[in-house]
Amino acid sequence: DTAVSQTPKYLVTQMGNDKSIKCEQNLGHDTMYWYKQDSKKFLKIMFSYNNKELIINETVPNRFSPKSPDKAHLNLHINSLELGDSAVYFCASSPLAGGGHTQYFGPGTRLTVL
Amino acid sequence: AQKVTQAQTEISVVEKEDVTLDCVYETRDTTYYLFWYKQPPSGELVFLIRRNSFDEQNEISGRYSWNFQKSTSSFNFTITASQVVDSAVYFCALSSRANNDMRFGAGTRLTVKP
């Protein structure tokens, strides 16, 4: 059974389009995250939700909007896609919020904006 | 501010050699946690180890070992008798009780040649 799953795995789209990435975890965790990994492999947190509430909102363009319908799901919607949004996006979850908890990552979604 | 430095961008070894990946961290918090993750060529992020700041015991897991030294703010990772399957990007990460987020180092790309 996949612990943290993301769909789609690959996403190729044109500039200006709107797209969504879905994430689900079946670990029973309370906290979920979105990370962006750029072409140099640098990982940076974007958002974190604890029990459907936003707890981390890093400096990310307003075009990115996370949505958590329940604590097992955290989706990422991106409006008006730009070339610079091309990256790998990782979803992760941890048992609780607060530092120190191990985060378990999904397989990643490679977004390519043409 | 929290920071993780992985000074080695790339390391190349021949199979069966031992290799150490360095990680130096900065934090003002007294309670913090250190992690190592592996990202193989397939792209997923695999959790390897978690250490809290009060436990300086070294850890060994098969061919993997970790050396945590608070005096030098380092949490180094050694692979003994490396194998081709160890080829990956390895990330060191830091979080603290006070913060919800996890800070990653830039990663070290390890290539093990047959």
Side-chain angles (χ1 to χ4, degrees), chain A residues 22-84:
Chain A
K22 294 186 176 181
C23 178
E24 177 181 1
Q25 54 95 3
N26 62 6
L27 296 167
H29 289 172
D30 280 356
T31 310
M32 296 184 72
Y33 311 81
W34 277 110
Y35 284 84
K36 179 179 180 180
Q37 185 175 45
D38 62 23
S39 57
K40 295 184 179 178
K41 295 288 192 180
F42 186 69
L43 271 161
K44 191 173 188 319
I45 192 163
M46 300 172 68
F47 303 102
S48 176
Y49 271 72
N50 183 55
N51 245 328
K52 302 192 294 175
E53 287 193 27
L54 182 67
I55 57 172
I56 294 177
N57 186 354
E58 291 289 305
T59 309
V60 175
N62 290 341
R63 300 180 294 102
F64 290 79
S65 54
K67 282 189 172 54
S68 181
D70 56 60
K71 73 175 191 177
H73 296 84
L74 179 61
N75 303 323
L76 183 65
H77 189 76
I78 316 170
N79 289 328
S80 304
L81 278 155
E82 300 178 357
L83 292 176

Side-chain angles (χ1 to χ4, degrees), chain B residues 8-66:
Chain B
Q8 305 150 307
T9 306
E10 293 191 30
I11 300 176
S12 181
V13 298
V14 177
E15 212 170 16
K16 297 185 185 175
E17 284 185 21
D18 298 348
V19 58
T20 295
L21 309 182
D22 297 334
C23 173
V24 173
Y25 61 92
E26 294 175 32
T27 180
R28 293 180 183 173
D29 296 310
T30 55
T31 303
Y32 54 90
Y33 303 82
L34 295 159
F35 303 81
W36 277 94
Y37 284 84
K38 174 182 179 180
Q39 187 173 38
S42 49
E44 70 274 24
L45 280 158
V46 180
F47 164 71
L48 295 178
I49 190 170
R50 170 184 178 271
R51 219 39 167 176
N52 75 55
S53 51
F54 299 109
D55 182 2
E56 282 193 78
Q57 279 193 351
N58 292 334
E59 178 145 346
I60 298 175
S61 176
R63 296 184 297 106
Y64 294 172
S65 62
W66 290 269

